[in-house]
Amino acid sequence: MRQVDNFIRGEFVAARDGKRFDKVSPVTGKVIASIAEAGRSDVNEAVLAAKAALSGEWATFTTNQRVEMLYEVADEITRRFEDFVEAEMADTGQPSHVMRHVFIPRGAANFKIFADTIKNVPTESFMLDTPDGAGALNYGVRTPKGVIGVISPWNAPFMLMTWKVGPALACGNTVVVKPSEETPLTSVLLGEVMNKVGVPKGVYNVVNGFGPDSAGAFLTEHKDVDAITFTGETRTGTAIMKAAAEGTRDVSFEMGGKNAGIVFADCDFDKAIEGISRSAFLNSGQVCLGTERVYVERPIFDKFVSALKEKAEAVNYGRPEDAGVNYGPLISKEHQNKVLSYYNKAVQEGATVVTGGGVPDVPEALKGGNWIQPTIWTGLSDDATVVREEIFGPCCHIRPFDTEEEVVNLANDTEYGLATTIWTSNLPRAHRMAANIDVGICWVNSWFLRDLRTAFGGSKQSGIGREGGVHSLEFYTELRNVCIKL
């Protein structure tokens, strides 16, 4: 069985107390690896290694040298592309084409995009008049924030981890990564890449484990962690924020969502169906930006429900490496049970089940996996549980609407504010609505289309702060003002 250890100071090391936990395949339910669980002393060692690296060889790197090294990291990821695809498929169970065309390429791109950003974005400067007429020059200098604690999720583990590690290293910080206990493989594999290209020891560290009373808590509570970046559910974010209050550490959070998809009668119908089916069912619905509430203008409501039903029933279950497979399992048995409990709750509250609602029939070899059917409901009230609470599964409730004002109010009637997608051919209406829906990102006639230079984050319970492009630099650096009297 594969043995996966922590990565500290450039070395793969087991936990000092010898604790380990099993990594279970979401596809089959079988144990595929044994993972070292970092204790408090292991996390402390990783943080101290990161802190020491801040004043070691890494501190002597110029911006151009960091840029060149991050390009080498990206190139080495690309060279080992198949290794990363295999590891990510083993961790998540999601189809090969998703790994090959989205998650792994984006993971590599994250290093290059932020290398380019740090190289090309200027700081501000001002000339100040002084009483003697000589003047003064003010300019900004960016310095690394320090040791960054990176808490990454399990739904797109490599892409979302490198989304944080890329800009952190570009800005000269060091990192300690705590991947989800469900998806540890690619974070540790990246350690091999760091060693291969010569990243100084201690700059990149990985500690495996769980949240409370484990590596996650030990990392976020550590006094020498200078800032924490986190993607995950809102309750966990709340706990991390409480820990970060000790020492007044900075945080960047991208958390839960209950995202709305809005479809007008004047949309390109086929494109809207394709877009909403992706946003509801991609990655088995385990996408923070996914659509769980769908609002369809009444004249096309019945036609839309019927067409989306066909999409949901056309998925192909199977092993991620198999040809033709376009749909994977949920990440864990625990999460499968959680999503199924919502499926049951929807029926109890009076939903019409358009399709799905349970566990599909899969081949015998896969029956131990965490499979679940894409599910569509109609007929629920706006205060129904599955309309209010984030499920994080392949499901959506579809409701008709009649006016623009009505649907804006419906979209905003949630404690979350991460994303929305609007489908219409009326461009002025699209602009109006985008300005009035309380979300961090609003797509029009598209979904999951990202320019990595733009701001990304959520409002309300969906997050704190923005990352992407120059906005990442704001979080991962301290901006110092220098004032020189002339």
Side-chain angles (χ1 to χ4, degrees):
M1 183 186 300
R2 181 174 181 178
Q3 303 288 303
V4 177
D5 291 330
N6 301 306
F7 184 74
I8 300 172
R9 202 176 280 105
E11 297 179 356
F12 294 96
V13 292
R16 290 184 177 182
D17 62 6
K19 290 181 69 175
R20 307 190 75 87
F21 62 93
D22 290 338
K23 163 58 191 170
V24 176
S25 167
V27 176
T28 65
K30 296 180 178 179
V31 177
I32 59 173
S34 174
I35 317 297
E37 181 181 353
R40 190 180 294 276
S41 62
D42 303 300
V43 172
N44 182 60
E45 183 180 353
V47 173
L48 293 181
K51 184 177 181 180
L54 286 169
S55 56
E57 180 188 1
W58 184 238
T60 70
F61 276 47
T62 64
T63 298
N64 282 339
Q65 286 175 315
R66 290 201 306 272
V67 166
E68 290 171 4
M69 182 152 281
L70 293 184
Y71 261 75
E72 290 179 19
V73 169
D75 290 342
E76 181 65 11
I77 291 169
T78 301
R79 190 186 72 79
R80 297 191 60 180
F81 188 79
E82 294 301 324
D83 294 337
F84 280 93
V85 168
E86 181 183 348
E88 196 90 330
M89 288 194 303
D91 263 344
T92 67
Q94 293 303 313
S96 170
H97 72 89
V98 177
M99 302 300 127
R100 294 180 181 280
H101 298 293
V102 184
F103 292 166
I104 303 305
R106 263 286 307 275
N110 284 336
F111 287 100
K112 290 189 175 181
I113 192 72
F114 289 111
D116 290 341
T117 300
I118 194 68
K119 182 172 65 175
N120 293 306
V121 172
T123 55
E124 61 190 12
S125 64
F126 299 95
M127 287 299 300
L128 174 68
D129 292 334
T130 57
D132 63 4
L137 172 65
N138 290 265
Y139 62 90
V141 175
R142 293 192 183 278
T143 60
K145 189 157 284 184
V147 177
I148 309 296
V150 177
I151 312 294
S152 56
W154 47 255
N155 57 319
F158 187 62
M159 181 180 77
L160 294 178
M161 180 268 291
T162 57
W163 172 246
K164 302 170 183 301
V165 171
L169 298 191
C171 293
N173 300 284
T174 59
V175 299
V176 180
V177 176
K178 205 298 282 185
S180 168
E181 63 274 14
E182 303 288 356
T183 53
L185 300 183
T186 47
S187 294
V188 176
L189 185 57
L190 185 59
E192 296 181 13
V193 170
M194 297 290 180
N195 281 349
K196 174 70 174 180
V197 304
V199 173
K201 297 181 184 300
V203 169
Y204 176 82
N205 307 273
V206 181
V207 290
N208 294 301
F210 302 86
D213 198 33
S214 187
F218 303 151
L219 180 60
T220 57
E221 293 167 0
H222 201 291
K223 64 181 180 61
D224 288 323
V225 171
D226 298 295
I228 303 166
T229 177
F230 164 75
T231 297
E233 66 174 1
T234 301
R235 285 177 301 176
T236 304
T238 300
I240 293 173
M241 193 167 186
K242 289 178 180 177
E246 291 290 333
T248 325
R249 275 94 51 77
D250 207 356
V251 297
S252 177
F253 290 165
E254 191 259 286
M255 301 189 291
K258 190 68 177 177
N259 309 306
I262 300 170
V263 183
F264 284 92
D266 65 356
C267 70
D268 182 317
F269 187 84
D270 291 341
K271 289 182 179 179
I273 285 292
E274 182 64 31
I276 293 295
S277 67
R278 286 186 68 238
S279 67
F281 307 133
L282 179 72
N283 211 37
S284 305
Q286 300 166 126
V287 180
C288 56
L289 301 163
T291 302
E292 293 187 3
R293 298 181 295 144
V294 182
Y295 301 103
V296 179
E297 197 168 12
R298 198 173 298 274
I300 63 168
F301 179 79
D302 290 338
K303 178 183 177 183
F304 188 92
V305 172
S306 178
L308 195 64
K309 176 178 183 289
E310 290 184 14
K311 284 285 189 182
E313 293 175 349
V315 300
N316 294 318
Y317 307 93
R319 296 180 184 274
E321 65 273 16
D322 291 346
V325 170
N326 62 3
Y327 186 84
L330 297 181
I331 191 64
S332 66
K333 192 62 64 178
E334 178 185 14
H335 191 54
Q336 182 194 39
N337 290 335
K338 173 191 171 185
V339 175
L340 285 171
S341 74
Y342 278 107
Y343 283 14
N344 293 332
K345 187 70 171 178
V347 173
Q348 293 168 12
E349 294 186 348
T352 297
V353 181
V354 176
T355 189
V359 177
D361 186 21
V362 295
E364 188 65 32
L366 305 182
K367 288 190 182 298
N370 313 316
W371 302 95
I372 198 164
Q373 292 176 316
T375 297
I376 300 170
W377 305 291
T378 60
L380 287 171
S381 66
D382 297 325
D383 61 356
T385 303
V386 299
V387 178
R388 306 300 302 178
E389 297 181 10
E390 182 183 33
I391 301 170
F392 219 61
C395 55
C396 63
H397 178 260
I398 312 179
R399 178 202 194 281
F401 73 89
D402 295 296
T403 68
E404 179 183 322
E405 180 182 11
E406 175 194 14
V407 78
V408 168
N409 289 334
L410 288 168
N412 285 337
D413 185 20
T414 174
E415 63 184 357
Y416 298 107
L418 188 55
T420 194
T421 177
I422 301 169
W423 297 85
T424 180
S425 61
N426 185 326
L427 190 57
R429 173 165 57 201
H431 285 300
R432 286 195 304 271
M433 295 187 65
N436 287 306
I437 297 178
D438 299 331
V439 291
I441 183 168
C442 178
W443 282 288
V444 177
N445 298 330
S446 64
W447 178 77
F448 217 49
L449 185 62
R450 286 279 292 118
D451 184 327
L452 303 185
R453 298 169 296 182
T454 61
F456 180 79
S459 60
K460 297 190 280 190
Q461 292 291 310
S462 289
I464 296 173
R466 294 291 183 269
E467 295 190 37
V470 67
H471 309 282
S472 288
L473 305 190
E474 297 298 328
F475 176 72
Y476 291 105
T477 62
E478 296 289 359
L479 184 57
R480 178 183 305 153
N481 179 64
V482 177
C483 181
I484 299 180
K485 178 68 170 62
L486 302 179

